[in-house]
Amino acid sequence: MQSPFIDFLSRHMDEINDHLVAFFVDQTDNADIDAYLYAPLKRYTDNPGKRHRPLICMLAAQAVGGDFHSAISAAAAIEHFQTAALIHDDIADNGHMRRGMPCLHITEGTGLAINCGDYALTLVTDAVLRDDALEDSVKLRVLRELVDMMQRTVEGQALDLGWVRDRRFDLTVDDYLCMATHKTAFYSGAIPLACGAIIGGGTDEQVEALRSFGLDTGLAFQIQDDLLNLIGEKESKNKDFRSDITEGKRTLVAVHALGSPAHHDELVSILSSETDDPAALDRAVEIFEACGSIEHARAYALELTDRAKRTLAGVELDPHCKDLLTAMADFFVERLS
């Protein structure tokens, strides 16, 4: 049986996609500007993920008693940030595939891809500023949230990239949790929900409860994404399967396993080698399994989800919206089942 949260995303996917693509259509009369900027961004936007970030922003507005569509500009802003972050992330990681297609820097070249990502960043503020339906006081609150989201995400990315550059393997689970919370949980859960609740006229209690729920589920989402990269099957067809090992990513699984003296040196050797040899990748996963690291990560994601659902249960929200958010939390940790 398909998750009601996936049904919700499917029902509204075309609506948010049409809104996002409008930012890249008929924006210039200059054919070269269109060819080098807007057209690549449109193609990128035409190949979407599940769009859960913008749609939970809109859902949060409805959850606190507001109109679902009132948050569409903030929803677009968050997804434009996602676009920019992924374009730049793929360049930094020397990625090759994104959502089953070649990365933008592969098709357009690094310089133009960076520029496309830079333009998408400008839309984070522009999408909200151009929304005449929002009062100025609301715009300022939302923009403050969006700026905080961008800063926290860049902080997390600095840790992620810096650890790889400096060959840091002296990391703890707490180090990982700090990095992943900053890099992913703010923009994948906490800020979309907080922005939607603000626009919907939610109380401080509702805004902060949804923010807390989003932090926990956003972190659980990242942990499960890391697990899918290692042991997923269905979803791995659209990803660089086990690329996190090749890129030496300090995931929760890897950091936990590095704490094992018996396997530490061998694992460091694999993670430092940038190998894409299937045998070496298989060996890394064998080490993760022997150390109990995959099960540890899965259990921690479930713990985060349980805490998030307890937070949600303690705040007054529209019952239907609360059910969908609960289904979202469950879906995030059921993708490996």
Side-chain angles (χ1 to χ4, degrees):
M1 180 178 178
Q2 181 162 276
S3 165
F5 179 66
I6 294 300
D7 289 339
F8 160 74
L9 297 182
S10 299
R11 286 198 307 274
H12 297 284
M13 175 76 80
D14 289 344
E15 182 180 358
I16 191 65
N17 283 345
D18 289 346
H19 185 75
L20 290 166
V21 167
F23 286 83
F24 308 121
V25 175
D26 297 328
Q27 297 297 310
T28 180
D29 293 329
N30 187 303
D32 283 346
I33 292 176
D34 187 65
Y36 298 141
L37 179 65
Y38 295 111
L41 280 168
K42 181 182 181 299
R43 288 193 295 272
Y44 195 94
T45 303
D46 283 340
N47 183 33
K50 292 183 175 64
R51 300 294 197 215
H52 90 262
R53 294 168 185 85
L55 289 172
I56 64 172
C57 179
M58 298 167 73
L59 182 63
Q62 185 178 354
V64 299
D67 179 68
F68 179 77
H69 295 94
S70 65
I72 197 167
S73 62
I78 290 159
E79 192 65 11
H80 288 315
F81 177 71
Q82 160 84 339
T83 291
L86 293 183
I87 290 171
H88 290 160
D89 201 29
D90 286 338
I91 294 169
D93 291 339
N94 193 30
H96 291 86
M97 299 291 290
R98 172 67 64 180
R99 298 168 182 160
M101 300 290 289
C103 294
L104 198 67
H105 66 277
I106 300 295
T107 60
E108 306 301 320
T110 300
L112 284 175
I114 291 172
N115 198 57
C116 285
D118 290 346
Y119 186 80
L121 284 176
T122 72
L123 297 177
V124 178
T125 51
D126 184 51
V128 174
L129 289 173
R130 71 167 71 179
D131 188 348
D132 294 332
L134 294 181
E135 295 181 2
D136 287 348
S137 60
V138 173
K139 286 182 182 181
L140 285 174
R141 285 188 69 187
V142 170
L143 289 173
R144 179 65 260 176
E145 295 283 348
L146 293 173
V147 168
D148 187 59
M149 172 191 74
M150 291 188 283
Q151 290 172 341
R152 299 293 82 77
T153 306
V154 171
E155 287 175 347
Q157 178 75 331
L159 291 174
D160 198 21
L161 294 173
W163 291 341
V164 173
R165 187 198 71 178
D166 292 345
R167 297 181 176 272
R168 291 281 304 279
F169 294 101
D170 58 334
L171 304 170
T172 66
V173 167
D174 285 343
D175 290 328
Y176 166 83
L177 296 175
C178 175
M179 180 277 293
T181 297
H182 282 67
K183 181 177 177 178
T184 301
F186 280 98
Y187 93 92
S188 290
I191 302 303
L193 290 168
C195 285
I198 289 168
I199 292 169
T203 65
D204 289 345
E205 180 188 14
Q206 289 173 320
V207 171
E208 295 312 313
L210 286 167
R211 186 194 308 279
S212 177
F213 172 84
L215 273 177
D216 283 341
T217 54
L219 183 54
F221 177 83
Q222 180 60 57
I223 292 169
Q224 287 298 91
D225 229 34
D226 294 343
L227 287 169
L228 284 169
N229 189 271
L230 296 175
I231 59 175
E233 294 180 3
K234 180 180 178 181
E235 292 201 26
S236 70
K237 296 175 183 177
N238 294 322
K239 297 176 182 284
D240 280 337
F241 191 43
R242 295 183 173 171
S243 61
D244 284 351
I245 300 171
T246 302
E247 295 166 13
K249 288 288 187 180
R250 276 59 165 175
T251 62
L252 179 57
V253 174
V255 170
H256 182 270
L258 285 165
S260 167
H263 297 286
H264 178 274
D265 291 349
E266 183 182 4
L267 188 54
V268 167
S269 177
I270 295 171
L271 293 173
S272 301
S273 67
E274 299 183 1
T275 182
D276 58 3
D277 175 38
L281 302 182
D282 286 345
R283 176 56 185 158
V285 174
E286 287 175 4
I287 294 172
F288 295 152
E289 290 174 338
C291 294
S293 302
I294 289 174
E295 186 53 40
H296 171 80
R298 183 184 283 112
Y300 192 78
L302 289 169
E303 180 183 332
L304 286 168
T305 301
D306 288 342
R307 185 169 72 187
K309 290 194 288 187
R310 289 195 299 271
T311 298
L312 201 66
V315 65
E316 183 178 349
L317 297 169
D318 174 85
H320 175 64
C321 296
K322 183 181 284 191
D323 287 345
L324 284 174
L325 289 168
T326 300
M328 177 191 86
D330 288 333
F331 168 72
F332 281 176
V333 293
E334 287 173 352
R335 292 181 296 159
L336 281 170
S337 61

